Amino acid sequence: MEKRGYTPEVPIVAVATALSPAALGIIRASGKGCIALVANVFSRPSALLDAAGNSIVYGWIVDGGKKIDEVLVSVFRAPKSFTGEDMVEISCHGGVSVVTAIDSLLLRSGFRRAERGEFTFRAYINGKTDLTRAEAVREIIDSKTDASRSRAVGRLAGNLYAAIDSVKNLIVETIADIEVEIEYPEDEETIVDSFDDGKLRRAEKMLSDLASSWKSEKIYQDGARVVLCGRTNAGKSSLFNALLKEERAIVSDIEGTTRDFLESWVDFDGIPARLFDTAGLRETDDSIEARGVEITRDLSGDADVVLYLVDSSRLEDSSVLSCDDSDFLLSLGVDVRSATVGSLCREESGTFFSSASVPVIIVLTKSDLNPLSLSECANVVSVSSKNGGGISVLCERVRKTLSSSSERTGETGLGSERQKMAVEDALSSVRHALSLSADYALDAVVQDLEDSLDALGSVTGDVTPDDILGSIFSRFCVGK
């Protein structure tokens, strides 16, 4: 593993709460002798040394007889602690100077500064957690919506570990069946057809489901890119503010107000997304505005969903999109040059959007239409940013669009790209084993299955190169 100072049992310390004014601050320590080291700077050393595990001792942190702060010290004794080692957590007042003073005192008293993720790393190497649960800790910290947090909590509770373990059991049982055939063959030829591949096909299905789950899980973790675009004064900034529920963008009747793009995180019914408000699309001699239009086109091409806003009061021939609107949509692969808004709402309207490079939802703004009258249209939504009409319908439509291509059954999903690659390797090995012709000896099948077990072991941490461990835990915060 990358040399990061990860040394088991050596007493380590870190501030576990944010360094900002707060009601409470927490300093976390772990390692052999950590309770005694804290006792050396505690007003009641004997009480702390004699404290039972999972208990709290009241007292003061002192430095050379000088009181620093009144604290509560939580004591955890190995192996019944987060890290599996002796641990101490000091709860003090949350002032920055107080927290840093206690932290500095402990560092002078024999502790080493903890590396990023070192507490969780120690929990892993001491068998208190596996890699799927360890990575879930970081996911929970980084989660942006209740839905993304809930999915990570499932992995922390062990649902992914259990799923991987079930697959491993099926593969191990298959290997055992094959070994019996090899040791006690009914004839001299021990070939694939001589064992039941039912368990292996169940393992293949489970691995396939897990591998496909990453597409959906990635959206909940990393967030989607949703771009608002359209002609000038189509209502993009108003909708941007309405979706954020705050005044972030300047709204004006003057065309070309937005020249650069704005972005902010927004929750689309549980799916986190980076929402972009962009410059209005039009021909212009202003070099700055022209650059903004160019950026709009680039952002739209890289989006997960494009919300194309159309000012309904500008609709030509009552319901036909303008040339500027249709030309831009055509650049995204949506050919609506002669289509009416009504035709886009018909059941066959999907044909207009089927070849689009990114999913597109047409949003009618400044409309007298009842927003609910278009609630059944797959690709058209009518909204009013002023009174909020249609906003909830739009959010639900965006959520469905983002998840439609990645919806899956079941609650278990992968939590990282690393896990996905390992599961795909295991799946490839299992499929290769199943594809072997009757001319192959069973020991060739066993080799594929052992390779799949190694790949699955890297997911849970049973078999994991040191450099991968370094990469995983280095992304944690200090104190976790």
Side-chain angles (χ1 to χ4, degrees), residues 339-356:
T340 65
V341 172
S343 67
L344 298 177
C345 291
R346 298 195 192 106
E347 186 175 348
E348 68 273 12
S349 66
T351 58
F352 290 106
F353 300 87
S354 58
S355 61

Side-chain angles (χ1 to χ4, degrees), residues 323-343:
C323 292
D324 289 339
D325 292 326
S326 59
D327 286 347
F328 179 78
L329 291 171
L330 183 62
S331 71
L332 297 177
V334 183
D335 191 356
V336 292
R337 285 172 291 184
S338 60
T340 65
V341 172
S343 67

